[in-house]
Amino acid sequence: RADEAVALTCVLPAQPAYDVKANYVKRELYIPMRDGVKLFTIVYAPKDATRRYPMLMTRTAYGIAPYGPENYRTVLGPNNEFAREGYIFVYQDVRGRFRSGGDWMEMRPMLTDRRAVGTDESTDTYDTIAWLLAHVPHHNGRVGMWGISYPGFYAAAALAGAHPALKAVS
């Protein structure tokens, strides 16, 4: 009847559980920036080393727990469909937060002169990507960034003076 509300229930098939620890190797690293500050970074790389993988990176002021080499996230990236597809996942505590060195500044201003000496979120992202490309095996040379809320700010800030390997930002 037109005057009655109709409730529809959408039942999705249950997604099979994804065992991150069974399929990924976790590394905890300190990546040096151009001014010598080291940023704490966690890399999850697929155990399958027969392929090359893109990297998907998130930088945040909120912390990248769980910390500790044996403590794994249960979900990688926006959801585990990305893990099933095969990505290298990179999580980074930004400057001055949690396990990263340096001084934290809320909404650090961008350098207005790209040739100037100094750092901002773009230079920290650039330095991180350059280091990852040189030290993480089995990547395909492409990096994407994603984030919501503060991680979204860091993803957008990476675009100014972006590293050439940064191919997508959401």
Side-chain angles (χ1 to χ4, degrees), residues 25-110:
V25 174
K26 179 182 179 183
R27 292 173 55 199
E28 294 187 347
L29 312 161
Y30 283 92
I31 298 180
M33 299 296 105
R34 61 189 66 188
D35 63 350
V37 168
K38 294 181 180 175
L39 302 185
F40 185 77
T41 308
I42 297 175
V43 175
Y44 290 88
K47 286 184 177 179
D48 175 7
T50 63
R51 297 177 34 208
R52 294 191 169 285
Y53 301 96
M55 291 188 225
L56 189 56
M57 180 166 61
T58 298
R59 302 182 68 242
T60 184
Y62 299 142
I64 57 173
Y67 297 99
E70 294 304 316
N71 300 320
Y72 279 61
R73 287 175 172 254
T74 57
V75 176
L76 295 176
N79 62 59
N80 276 334
E81 289 306 311
F82 287 85
R84 285 184 177 90
E85 287 293 318
Y87 282 81
I88 297 168
F89 296 93
V90 179
Y91 296 91
Q92 187 172 68
D93 285 332
V94 296
R95 193 176 279 264
R97 298 294 286 167
F98 295 88
R99 294 188 176 181
S100 283
D103 296 321
W104 185 70
M105 178 186 294
E106 188 169 352
M107 299 289 185
R108 183 180 305 276
M110 300 298 295

Side-chain angles (χ1 to χ4, degrees), residues 148-165:
I148 297 170
S149 186
Y150 224 143
F153 162 75
Y154 292 116
L159 291 169
H163 191 285

Side-chain angles (χ1 to χ4, degrees), residues 19 62 98 101 120 126-128 150 157:
D19 187 346
Y62 299 142
F98 295 88
D120 61 15
Y126 190 104
D127 294 351
T128 297
Y150 224 143

